[in-house]
């Protein structure tokens, strides 16, 4: 007896469709992976990495966790970044948040959810850091939207400070960092204009992005 048979049926259908569209696709893919992008996104089931940007298997290296956090002591995330930068030599690291992120909203509201509260502590620190900017946004949804944006910008700043990324820039490796946000209600991505390509410009670009509150 097969458990969850509909998922296996979906898998067979998908694999056949892919192979029919591009004969030899899986064999070619099995021989190497050469992605140009590392995607760091939220675990939210409504924010699937490859589909949003229309990329096929093999084109996007992916790390996802609750609220797309990049924490300097998280060896899971650091290992993904190290492998992506040093071995796969990706050219772009894209942190993608999303409006209405349950992790971000829980952190803002001090909701008690269990173990995850400790993970969300990092997001609470960001809400605290930007409390003056957030406090003046009276509409609660707009305040949450802005916090989701600020979270992405801060996580990209974290990426820029990681030794792996700093070392890559120091040896002249091409590496671009991007801050994107996705709206679940219309499927659209927005670039938060926090694109960092070297350590010298990082702080200035970050401050501009933090102070750019026109979007809300
Ligand atoms: Co989320």
């Amino acid at each position: 007896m097969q458990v969850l048979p509909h998922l296996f049926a979906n898998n067979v259908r998908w694999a056949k469709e892919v192979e029919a569209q591009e004969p030899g696709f899986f064999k070619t893919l099995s021989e190497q992976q050469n992605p140009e992008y590392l995607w760091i996104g939220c675990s939210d089931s409504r924010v699937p990495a490859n589909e949003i940007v229309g990329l096929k298997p093999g084109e996007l290296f992916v790390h996802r966790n609750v609220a797309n956090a990049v924490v300097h002591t998280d060896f899971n995330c650091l290992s993904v970044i190290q492998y992506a930068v040093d071995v796969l030599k990706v050219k772009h690291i894209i942190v993608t948040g999303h409006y209405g992120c349950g992790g971000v909203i829980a952190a803002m509201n001090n909701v008690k959810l269990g173990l995850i509260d400790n993970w969300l502590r990092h997001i609470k620190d960001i809400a605290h850091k930007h409390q003056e900017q957030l406090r003046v946004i009276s509409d609660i949804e707009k305040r949450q939207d802005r916090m989701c944006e600020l979270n992405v910008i801060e996580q990209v700043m974290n990426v820029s400070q990681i030794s792996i990324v700093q070392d890559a820039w120091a040896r002249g490796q091409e590496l671009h960092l991007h801050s994107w946000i996705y709206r679940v209600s219309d499927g659209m991505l927005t670039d938060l204009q926090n694109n960092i390509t070297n350590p010298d410009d990082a702080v200035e670009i970050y401050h501009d992005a933090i102070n750019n509150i026109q979007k809300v």
Side-chain angles (χ1 to χ4, degrees):
M1 186 192 78
Q2 188 156 63
V3 181
L4 301 176
H6 57 297
L7 298 186
F8 284 91
N10 286 353
N11 169 247
V12 169
R13 194 181 318 115
W14 172 77
K16 280 183 179 164
E17 278 169 13
V18 171
E19 193 63 23
Q21 277 169 14
E22 203 174 323
F25 178 80
F26 290 108
K27 182 163 188 319
T28 306
L29 199 61
S30 69
E31 285 154 11
Q32 61 159 352
Q33 70 160 332
N34 192 20
E36 213 170 298
Y37 317 95
L38 164 61
W39 173 282
I40 299 175
C42 185
S43 299
D44 194 302
S45 62
R46 301 164 298 177
V47 193
N50 284 64
E51 284 95 326
I52 288 174
V53 284
L55 291 180
K56 293 185 290 195
E59 295 181 318
L60 197 64
F61 201 60
V62 173
H63 178 75
R64 291 169 69 181
N65 61 42
V66 173
N68 41 272
V70 176
V71 178
H72 290 111
T73 50
D74 174 8
F75 280 89
N76 184 349
C77 184
L78 291 180
S79 299
V80 170
I81 293 174
Q82 191 263 321
Y83 189 76
V85 171
D86 291 351
V87 182
L88 296 174
K89 304 249 183 312
V90 297
K91 290 192 174 66
H92 304 269
I93 300 178
I94 305 162
V95 178
T96 305
H98 66 103
Y99 295 117
C101 181
V104 171
I105 293 169
M108 289 178 85
N109 295 338
N110 274 320
V111 185
K112 291 239 173 295
L113 297 169
L115 174 69
I116 196 168
D117 299 342
N118 301 284
W119 179 252
L120 295 178
R121 183 64 246 176
H122 299 288
I123 315 295
K124 290 180 191 183
D125 289 342
I126 294 170
H128 184 69
K129 184 176 178 182
H130 298 291
Q131 59 180 329
E132 285 182 24
Q133 181 182 134
L134 292 167
R135 199 171 44 209
V136 295
I137 305 171
S138 52
D139 182 274
I140 188 164
E141 256 180 53
K142 285 184 176 166
R143 194 185 318 133
Q144 288 170 350
D145 280 359
R146 183 55 185 161
M147 179 54 201
C148 290
E149 294 178 351
L150 289 169
N151 180 43
V152 177
I153 295 164
E154 287 290 346
Q155 302 309 335
V156 167
M157 193 59 183
N158 287 347
V159 175
S160 78
Q161 302 302 314
I162 288 171
S163 58
I164 300 150
V165 170
Q166 294 268 329
D167 290 349
W169 280 330
R171 64 178 176 258
Q173 188 174 329
E174 182 186 352
L175 187 59
H176 309 270
L177 313 183
H178 310 275
S179 306
W180 293 358
I181 193 149
Y182 177 75
R183 196 176 285 283
V184 174
S185 60
D186 64 9
M188 300 306 291
L189 275 173
T190 301
D191 186 332
L192 293 169
Q193 303 300 321
N194 183 42
N195 298 301
I196 298 170
T197 56
N198 65 73
D200 304 327
D201 301 340
V203 174
E204 194 182 332
I205 293 170
Y206 158 84
H207 281 296
D208 285 349
I210 288 292
N211 294 321
N212 177 19
I213 53 169
Q214 274 85 313
K215 286 185 186 67
V216 292

